[in-house]
Amino acid sequence: MASGLPIVSTRVGGIPEVLDTRGAELIPPANPEALAKAINKLMVNKKKIAFAHKQFPHIIQQHFSEESMLSKTAALYCQQILVNDRQTTND
C-alpha cells in the first residue's frame, strides 16, 4: 500500500479489515484462477489504480505509520490501566 500500487490479496486473517478495496481486490485463499482474474481486472481498472496511487500512501501514513501505531498502542495501554485501576478500586 505504501508504494501506491493496487493490491491483490487473499481474504484471510485481518487483511479484509485493513485493506481498502477501492484500490485492491480480495480473493479466496488457494485459488489460482481467482488470483489471475483479479490481477487482470486490476490492470485495466483505472479507478482502482488511481485510488491506490493517490490514497494508499496517505492511508498508510495516517493509520499505520510508526507514530500512529505507537500512539494507538499507548492509548490502549492507558485505557487498560484505567480499567485495571477501577477493578482494583471496586474490589
Side-chain angles (χ1 to χ4, degrees):
M1 282 179 68
S3 67
L5 296 173
I7 296 171
V8 175
S9 183
T10 53
R11 201 177 278 118
V12 296
I15 292 173
E17 292 139 18
V18 174
L19 195 58
D20 190 319
T21 56
R22 291 176 288 177
E25 290 290 327
L26 287 171
I27 61 169
N31 190 329
E33 294 84 16
L35 176 61
K37 286 180 184 179
I39 291 170
N40 287 330
K41 186 176 175 181
L42 270 181
M43 289 174 54
V44 297
N45 190 323
K46 295 188 187 312
K47 285 184 180 181
K48 286 195 178 201
I49 292 170
F51 181 87
H53 180 71
K54 292 177 184 174
Q55 298 301 320
F56 276 178
H58 299 293
I59 291 169
I60 290 294
Q61 182 62 34
Q62 185 177 22
H63 298 287
F64 304 106
S65 67
E66 182 179 356
E67 182 180 332
S68 173
M69 296 303 288
L70 286 172
S71 174
K72 290 175 185 177
T73 302
L76 205 67
Y77 276 108
C78 289
Q79 180 183 19
Q80 191 59 45
I81 289 169
L82 289 173
V83 168
N84 288 344
D85 285 348
R86 286 185 196 132
Q87 287 176 347
T88 304
T89 304
N90 292 336
D91 287 344

